Amino acid sequence: MSAGTASAQQCSNDGSRFNAWKAEFRQVAAANGVGARGLAALDQTSYNSRTISADRNQRSFRLSLDEFMQRRGADAITQRGVRLKGQHAGLLQRIEQQYGVPPGPLLAIWGMETAFGGFLGDQNIVSAIVTLTYDCRRTDFFRPHALAALQLVDRGWLSPNARGAAHGEVGQTQFLPANVIRFGVDGDGDGRVDLIGSVPDALASTANFLRAHGWQRGAGYQPGQPNFAAIQAWNAAGVYQQSIAIIGQRIDSR
């Protein structure tokens, strides 16, 4: 995006300028290659106050590790993860062969993010990510993801009406849109990347993300071990990182 176009964008901390800003951002999107379907999806977006509230109030990451794991249901995730490891044994074996990532961390992430696909979120993904781009708190961080979401709509990989988490995360393991483009994998061979409806796509994409962030085949992934850095790349919160490592190890040991 050109500096001149970027500087013309005026962020805001309330919804009063959203429609005017959206008209300006439409020009930015078009200049960055977003096509007719993506622009139509942008036109349909609305300011999402629930997304802004969620972004301002992420209290769970202020808990201790034990409190966080209890609140997130670590024992239940472990138990179900062990069962799913057996149910998806062939898929998980193929993923480990290709990416070097064992089942435990993938199942821990899947369970932590969406209760193994039980709840993918209830917010319109495109509206959420566009709202966060308009908001002044983290405009520069979310702008590439907003453009990516519109590009995903263009590709047919994301419905304009798709629902996700409050920050615009997509699918079973909750990828931000630009990461879908960078790391998304067609794990079931149907010719498209569908992180919402396809478990193979979601788990293979997650493994691909971890490998791209330095995952070493056969190395440990607890704090202080080589692969913990890849888990840290997944989520910035320390309690979340440690929970993935602990739950993953519990699943892999059974």
Side-chain angles (χ1 to χ4, degrees):
M1 183 171 59
S2 69
T5 304
S7 64
Q9 294 287 138
Q10 296 293 319
C11 68
S12 178
N13 289 319
D14 61 47
S16 60
R17 289 197 69 258
F18 183 72
N19 287 333
W21 175 92
K22 189 167 70 172
E24 298 167 357
F25 189 65
R26 196 181 200 279
Q27 298 177 21
V28 174
N32 280 270
V34 174
R37 286 195 294 184
L39 294 175
L42 175 62
D43 292 341
Q44 295 170 16
T45 58
S46 57
Y47 182 77
N48 192 323
S49 57
R50 288 182 61 186
T51 282
I52 296 302
S53 177
D55 192 51
R56 301 284 192 270
N57 296 283
Q58 299 184 66
R59 295 190 180 93
S60 63
F61 295 138
R62 303 170 195 167
L63 302 173
S64 71
L65 176 60
D66 288 344
E67 290 169 337
F68 181 78
M69 290 186 67
Q70 183 176 13
R71 181 169 295 187
R72 297 302 290 262
D75 290 344
I77 291 172
T78 300
Q79 292 168 10
R80 190 171 177 199
V82 171
R83 294 196 300 270
L84 287 169
K85 184 172 71 168
Q87 292 175 24
H88 294 285
L91 169 65
L92 291 165
Q93 183 179 32
R94 291 194 301 274
I95 289 174
E96 185 169 7
Q97 287 173 347
Q98 184 167 0
Y99 299 101
V101 182
L106 300 179
L107 291 163
I109 289 170
W110 189 18
M112 288 276 288
E113 294 287 358
T114 65
F116 303 103
F119 182 66
L120 306 187
D122 57 5
Q123 301 301 302
N124 180 278
I125 290 171
V126 181
S127 284
I129 205 74
V130 169
T131 296
L132 289 164
T133 305
Y134 162 76
D135 186 65
C136 289
R137 184 165 180 247
R138 290 190 284 170
T139 296
D140 290 341
F141 175 81
F142 283 108
R143 184 183 291 110
H145 294 295
L147 293 170
L150 302 178
Q151 291 162 356
L152 290 173
V153 172
D154 275 335
R155 295 184 185 192
W157 292 5
L158 183 69
S159 165
N161 300 315
R163 314 296 283 187
H167 288 78
E169 299 97 335
V170 179
Q172 305 260 340
T173 57
Q174 301 284 273
F175 271 61
L176 284 169
N179 288 337
V180 179
I181 290 176
R182 291 181 65 193
F183 307 111
V185 172
D186 177 14
D188 57 17
D190 69 351
R192 63 190 294 265
V193 175
D194 177 11
L195 301 191
I196 294 175
S198 171
V199 170
D201 288 11
L203 295 183
S205 298
T206 304
N208 189 39
F209 177 98
L210 294 173
R211 184 179 67 174
H213 287 83
W215 192 280
Q216 301 175 34
R217 185 183 301 272
Y221 54 83
Q222 298 306 299
Q225 296 180 326
N227 287 332
F228 190 67
I231 292 175
Q232 290 177 303
W234 181 263
N235 189 291
V239 290
Y240 204 105
Q241 298 160 3
Q242 294 173 71
S243 296
I244 291 171
I246 292 168
I247 294 170
Q249 187 62 57
R250 290 175 180 175
I251 294 171
D252 276 338
S253 67
R254 298 186 189 181

